[in-house]
Amino acid sequence: MQIIAVGLNHKTAPVGIRETISFPESVIRDAVKTLGQYKHIKESVILSTCNRVEVYSVVDDEDKGIAAVKGFMAHYNNKKVKDIEEHLYTYSGEAMVNHVFRVVASLDSMIVGEPQIFGQMKNAYNYAFEIKNTKNIFNTLFKFTSQVGKEVRSDTDIGKNAVSISFAAVELAKKIFGDVEGKTVMIVGAGEGAIQRGPVGVVDRTQLPDDRLHRHGDVDAFLRSADPPGRGGHDWQHLHGLPGLGGRGLRHDRREPDPLSPRRLRQIGRAHV
């Protein structure tokens, strides 16, 4: 038996590839169950976030197991292995364990010290555990993984000044615009992160019911795209009409797929990407 990790992340794959290889929460249990039916796969856990997708497996043959996982990642997302293989990395044995520990400690994150990865790793394991896709090896490994994540937070200063990508975006906005007090913010996407106080303009990509936004009286503008999420069907000229945009914009997109390409943003005016 051997333990392996196969994945891609923000270091190895551009957003155009990452947005096509993912396992959102709505399909993660089915994906893990499907992977468990592949030959050579004995245990498996799938970690899927905005910036990384990693498949952890216990296999009876290392080379054949890695090939099986690569095939699964491609085929489940309607891709061919050759389309993604150059962006994939693999770890096995002790190197795999070290990698998982680095990931849960946020040492491999886009923002070192960010706290979200600990919960994401925990959820990834729980999804697999619930459908009995983990046994003795991974139950033991991920018990230690959780301990490592907790100890890194409690015994080091890595989380002392930890920031999320959203926090980093706010700090960047301050550097670009100076005092952001009184500035109007345009939010592209109307999920949980969009419900906040302050003068905002909203472009909806998720077909969110209007009444959820109308309950928040501080929303200045609500723009809905008629196209399904990810198609990029927004009428960008409307963005010029948002109060306070002033010809300048800051692009910070933490959701994928990403319809806001730098080319489209340049059509709006001066945009910092």
Side-chain angles (χ1 to χ4, degrees), residues 44-257:
S44 55
V45 170
I46 299 175
L47 173 67
S48 184
T49 74
C50 290
N51 290 314
R52 102 177 38 248
V53 172
E54 295 186 345
V55 177
Y56 311 123
S57 298
V58 177
V59 298
D60 59 14
D61 182 282
E62 182 174 343
D63 292 337
K64 292 178 180 179
I66 289 174
V69 171
K70 289 180 178 180
F72 160 77
M73 293 178 70
H75 299 155
Y76 199 89
N77 289 282
N78 299 314
K79 292 289 184 180
K80 296 180 180 179
V81 174
K82 66 179 183 180
D83 296 331
I84 65 172
E85 190 161 25
E86 66 177 295
H87 304 289
L88 297 175
Y89 46 80
T90 62
Y91 297 95
S92 63
E94 184 178 347
M96 181 273 196
V97 175
N98 288 337
H99 175 71
V100 171
F101 287 174
R102 282 182 56 83
V103 170
V104 78
S106 79
L107 292 174
D108 200 49
S109 297
M110 182 178 290
I111 304 281
V112 174
E114 57 89 6
Q116 289 88 354
I117 189 62
F118 177 79
Q120 291 165 339
M121 183 72 81
K122 181 179 180 180
N123 289 338
Y125 167 69
N126 286 339
Y127 293 143
F129 179 80
E130 288 170 6
I131 62 172
K132 304 185 186 307
N133 237 44
T134 64
K135 299 181 178 66
N136 289 340
I137 294 176
F138 269 5
N139 288 340
T140 300
L141 172 60
F142 282 91
K143 177 182 178 180
F144 282 110
T145 299
S146 179
Q147 291 177 358
V148 167
K150 291 177 181 177
E151 288 179 7
V152 166
R153 292 284 161 186
S154 62
D155 298 348
T156 75
D157 289 334
I158 193 170
K160 185 176 182 180
N161 297 308
V163 297
S164 65
I165 295 178
S166 298
F167 181 85
V170 172
E171 293 302 301
L172 178 58
K174 290 179 180 180
K175 291 181 180 179
I176 293 172
F177 300 109
D179 185 7
V180 296
E181 184 71 24
K183 293 291 190 301
T184 297
V185 177
M186 179 188 69
I187 296 178
V188 180
E192 292 294 331
I195 305 302
Q196 62 178 346
R197 309 297 292 179
V200 298
V202 179
V203 177
D204 180 40
R205 295 173 52 197
T206 59
Q207 303 302 309
L208 187 70
D210 293 359
D211 62 344
R212 184 174 173 192
L213 285 168
H214 291 165
R215 290 197 300 268
H216 295 264
D218 288 15
V219 174
D220 291 338
F222 178 44
L223 308 180
R224 178 181 293 281
S225 169
D227 286 353
R231 295 284 181 85
H234 305 298
D235 184 355
W236 299 108
Q237 66 180 352
H238 290 319
L239 299 183
H240 288 289
L242 285 176
L245 190 58
R248 290 194 296 170
L250 167 67
R251 174 196 174 214
H252 164 62
D253 193 350
R254 58 192 295 265
R255 185 190 188 280
E256 299 180 29

